[in-house]
Amino acid sequence: MNVDYDTFPIEKRRHTRFTISGSAFEFEDKLYEIANLSARGILLDLQSRAVAAGGASEIVAKVLDKNKFDFNLVDTSSRSKLPLKGRVVRVIKENERVVALALQFSLLENSQQEGTY
Amino acid sequence: MDETKKDNNIMQRLFNAHKNPEVNSEGQAEESVVRNVENASNSEDHLNKETAGGTTNTIGIDIGTSRIVSCKIGTDRKEVSQSELNAFFSIPLSPMTREILERNGMHYTELKNQLVVFGYDAQRFANMFNGELLHPMQEGLLKADEPNATHMIKEIITSLIKKPRELGQKLCFSIPSPRAGMESDLVFHEAILKKFFVGLGYNAFSVNEGLAVILSELASENYTGIGISIGAGMCNVCFSFLSVPVITYGLPCGGDLIDLSVSRVINESITRVRVIKEESLDLSRAPKNNLEQALHIYYDDMLSKIVNSLANTFSKSSNLPKLSQPIPLVLAGGPCIPNGFKTKFDKMLRYVELPLEISETRMAADPLRATARGALVYSK
Ligand SMILES: Nc1ncnc2c1ncn2[C@@H]1O[C@H](COP(=O)(O)OP(=O)(O)OP(=O)(O)O)[C@@H](O)[C@H]1O
Ligand SMILES: [Mg+2]
């Protein structure tokens, strides 16, 4: 699935996406598999079994309800977590059903020396 | 005859031709110059010739203050990399000298009334004429007070990469982290390069140098760790979590500052300091003379600045992840090559307190190519 999460709003730089096995999106204590991620965005594939177990419809309703939400980017192999702020930039539907979410994120605090790239 | 001697012979003839054109005006002497250059061309150049096919190949390119390095995957699926010195040297234009440069396949261009030799060839000329090389960049960025900087960096780049076979081929070039308060200089530098690559027909975009080191070296750690690239003009630091850059910053220190500082205190030319540093510096044993002592002192000074900056920047950050495992730190760049560098770095690192645990300090597999390799990873 090649859904754009970088062009909204227009980004000055292109951010390459990586598919990293074991990377997950943690929202309200539940983990969802990440299809791919860049320095700015995440694509959540809500069709995978792991996501369905986490409750796809539940997360869709909750994150859509908010302008910005806190979540963790998790490395499930080490259990390390990076807290981030996210927002939905695109909802991908198939036959009325939400199959994926494109999120943009930012670091908690943007100081000059952090996340400048 | 060894390679250096051959090289010196060629240079001597070019030098004579330039000083005294009529002496070398017969074809025969020049032909032997050509032959010598052909024989002298090293085997790496053959490996590095543009490979056929691979039209979908992407390119990674490290735009370094001292060297420009390109990297791509060849037809045999192996990495192919080429480099050029990011420097040039001007000599007055004369038809004779131009012809010799031309016949010997030297990299040069004409600029006003000058012949401008560039890349590694410029280094040989500077040695021959006992002059100082000129550089398009300083501290990681295009030099503002060098009128030919933009023109010459484009010449040097096009000696490494040609126009793409297919329009829109991806190319990723490295950029430094901006120094605090100097962000607008990076905007200019990045835009000039991007415009140039796009003009050649590439789909060009940038990657931060510190992140590139992580992409090159920490794939098996899921791109989580600290990457430090110490170059000629800059030290670029990046801490990334699952490829997401969390902390990136740059310090104006590196090999150039070491050369300059040493040359000042022991009254030696910068070039001689650099050559000795590159050829024989061993940080694992006690210095044997004044020059070595000064090199040790300024290496210590540079490393102390770097590890202190890690402690300061990381402890102030409110963005750090909650790490359940220690993370690796990887070092790249020319100044990391001397024997004993890693031990010195590790020793310095023990003096400071970091808010996260380092599992190990690692040297990049190829310190001079790590940034270009990382740019290649990012270009996919
Ligand atoms: N064997 C060596 N020992 C010590 N220093 C070396 C060695 N080889 C190269 N250097 C130094 O490394 C520096 C160049 O390193 P590198 O090619 O990584 O820098 P760069 O990428 O061009 O610069 P920057 O990243 O700052 O823009 C120069 O200062 C050079 O003198
Ligand atoms: Mg560099």
Side-chain angles (χ1 to χ4, degrees), chain B residues 62 64-65 209 229 231 371:
Chain B
D62 171 13
T65 308
E209 176 152 355
S229 171
T371 303

Side-chain angles (χ1 to χ4, degrees), chain B residues 106-177:
Chain B
M106 296 218 154
H107 287 132
Y108 79 98
T109 184
E110 285 182 32
L111 216 62
K112 291 167 195 144
N113 287 326
Q114 300 281 310
L115 286 170
V116 188
V117 187
F118 57 84
Y120 291 115
D121 293 338
Q123 176 75 72
R124 298 179 190 166
F125 265 79
N127 295 345
M128 190 69 213
F129 287 82
N130 210 9
E132 286 288 335
L133 281 173
L134 299 170
H135 300 274
M137 282 169 60
Q138 191 174 20
E139 294 180 356
L141 299 173
L142 279 163
K143 227 170 159 178
D145 59 359
E146 173 48 66
N148 298 324
T150 308
H151 182 87
M152 287 316 300
I153 201 166
K154 289 177 182 174
E155 291 281 355
I156 298 167
I157 292 171
T158 35
S159 70
L160 289 173
I161 59 153
K162 307 288 170 239
K163 286 190 172 179
R165 285 161 204 243
E166 277 171 18
L167 211 62
Q169 187 180 328
K170 287 185 198 157
L171 177 147
C172 175
F173 60 98
S174 67
I175 54 166
S177 290

Side-chain angles (χ1 to χ4, degrees), chain A residues 13 16 81 109 113-114 117, chain B residues 190 206 248 319 322 378:
Chain A
R13 291 190 176 121
T16 298
K81 297 175 182 187
E109 196 175 281
Q113 301 209 309
E114 295 171 42
Y117 187 72
Chain B
E190 186 179 357
S206 62
T248 53
N319 290 328
K322 298 173 193 93
Y378 207 69

Side-chain angles (χ1 to χ4, degrees), chain B residues 318-339:
Chain B
S318 42
N319 290 328
L320 290 183
K322 298 173 193 93
L323 294 171
S324 314
Q325 269 179 17
I327 53 158
L329 182 154
V330 54
L331 295 163
C336 307
I337 295 175
N339 196 19

Side-chain angles (χ1 to χ4, degrees), chain A residues 5 25 40-42 44 69 87-89 101-105:
Chain A
Y5 46 67
F25 170 90
R40 280 289 176 279
I42 286 174
L44 286 183
F69 53 88
R87 65 192 183 103
V88 176
V89 289
L101 284 179
L103 315 169
Q104 246 182 26
F105 63 78

Side-chain angles (χ1 to χ4, degrees), chain B residues 62-69 86 137 139-141 176 209 229-236 253-256 259 274 277-279 281 299 332-338 367-368 371:
Chain B
D62 171 13
I63 309 288
T65 308
S66 145
R67 289 165 345 108
I68 297 184
V69 186
N86 195 0
M137 282 169 60
E139 294 180 356
L141 299 173
E209 176 152 355
S229 171
I230 309 173
M234 282 291 281
C235 168
N236 283 286
C253 60
D256 284 350
D259 303 346
R274 186 172 48 77
K277 175 191 75 176
E278 290 180 8
E279 285 176 1
L281 178 63
Y299 254 89
C336 307
I337 295 175
L368 292 172
T371 303

